[in-house]
Amino acid sequence: MILPCFLFTSLFMVKLSQRAWNNVIIVSMLALIMLFNLSSNFLNDDSDAPAFSTLIPQGLLISTIEFSNAKVERVGQGWRIESKLSVSKDLQGLIDVWQSVEVSPFEENLQWGDSQQKVTVWFIGQAEPIEYYFLILADKTLVKLGQQTYRLVNVNYQTLIPTE
């Protein structure tokens, strides 16, 4: 900040009042902020990279997952399950899988019928849950989140549910 002002005064030898110099500094800082904001689009534009994101938004911690036949809840540092089934799956491992699932946008229009599976996920600090609707096809698993459809990249639906 001092260097641009020094260069400006040494190049033009302009005598300005204190108030005028303050305005010059403010305008130059605003110009730098705009330059940095606009340049980030060019520097971070990685259009060749695949458009993968995660199923669970970054920074959110799961408190409860409600499946059609089971409910997994956080209890302190651990997890418990309320289920009609005798579940032998590692619950912490199940939560870790949910946190690491990668999805990519799916552009084809499909009719979502009655064969979809609904899973409701509650997060710590969030008032409303997120509802995921899964559609299992022969070669892929799709998930509908709001109006957007995604394809599961690194897992299938069977790894996301508690099993006997």
Side-chain angles (χ1 to χ4, degrees):
M1 180 165 58
I2 296 172
L3 184 62
C5 293
F6 176 74
L7 291 175
F8 187 73
T9 57
S10 65
L11 290 176
F12 298 105
M13 299 298 281
V14 177
K15 292 196 178 209
L16 297 175
S17 67
Q18 181 69 34
R19 185 173 180 184
W21 276 116
N22 288 343
N23 290 337
V24 168
I25 292 172
I26 290 170
V27 169
S28 64
M29 290 299 112
L30 289 174
L32 281 174
I33 290 170
M34 285 179 41
L35 177 69
F36 290 143
N37 282 335
L38 294 175
S39 68
S40 70
N41 294 338
F42 299 115
L43 297 174
N44 296 332
D45 186 26
D46 203 6
S47 58
D48 294 335
F52 294 137
S53 62
T54 56
L55 187 61
I56 302 297
Q58 294 292 329
L60 292 182
L61 296 174
I62 297 172
S63 65
T64 305
I65 303 178
E66 295 177 5
F67 302 94
S68 60
N69 58 358
K71 182 177 180 180
V72 177
E73 295 178 300
R74 178 182 293 273
V75 179
Q77 296 295 322
W79 298 91
R80 74 170 171 210
I81 188 164
E82 296 176 12
S83 174
K84 299 172 185 143
L85 309 170
S86 59
V87 177
S88 61
K89 194 166 197 171
D90 173 36
L91 295 180
Q92 182 61 50
L94 177 70
I95 300 301
D96 292 341
V97 169
W98 270 87
Q99 292 285 134
S100 66
V101 172
E102 291 181 350
V103 295
S104 66
F106 189 77
E107 301 300 330
E108 295 178 28
N109 289 330
L110 295 175
Q111 294 297 326
W112 289 72
D114 293 335
S115 62
Q116 65 189 4
Q117 304 290 326
K118 178 182 172 185
V119 177
T120 305
V121 181
W122 293 84
F123 298 98
I124 295 173
Q126 299 290 319
E128 295 295 321
I130 295 178
E131 294 179 341
Y132 298 93
Y133 296 93
F134 291 91
L135 181 62
I136 298 96
L137 302 175
D139 59 338
K140 59 186 153 277
T141 302
L142 303 178
V143 60
K144 188 173 186 181
L145 180 58
Q147 298 299 318
Q148 180 66 41
T149 302
Y150 299 94
R151 180 180 61 85
L152 297 184
V153 174
N154 56 345
V155 297
N156 60 20
Y157 181 68
Q158 295 304 319
T159 58
L160 294 175
I161 59 172
T163 57
E164 292 187 63

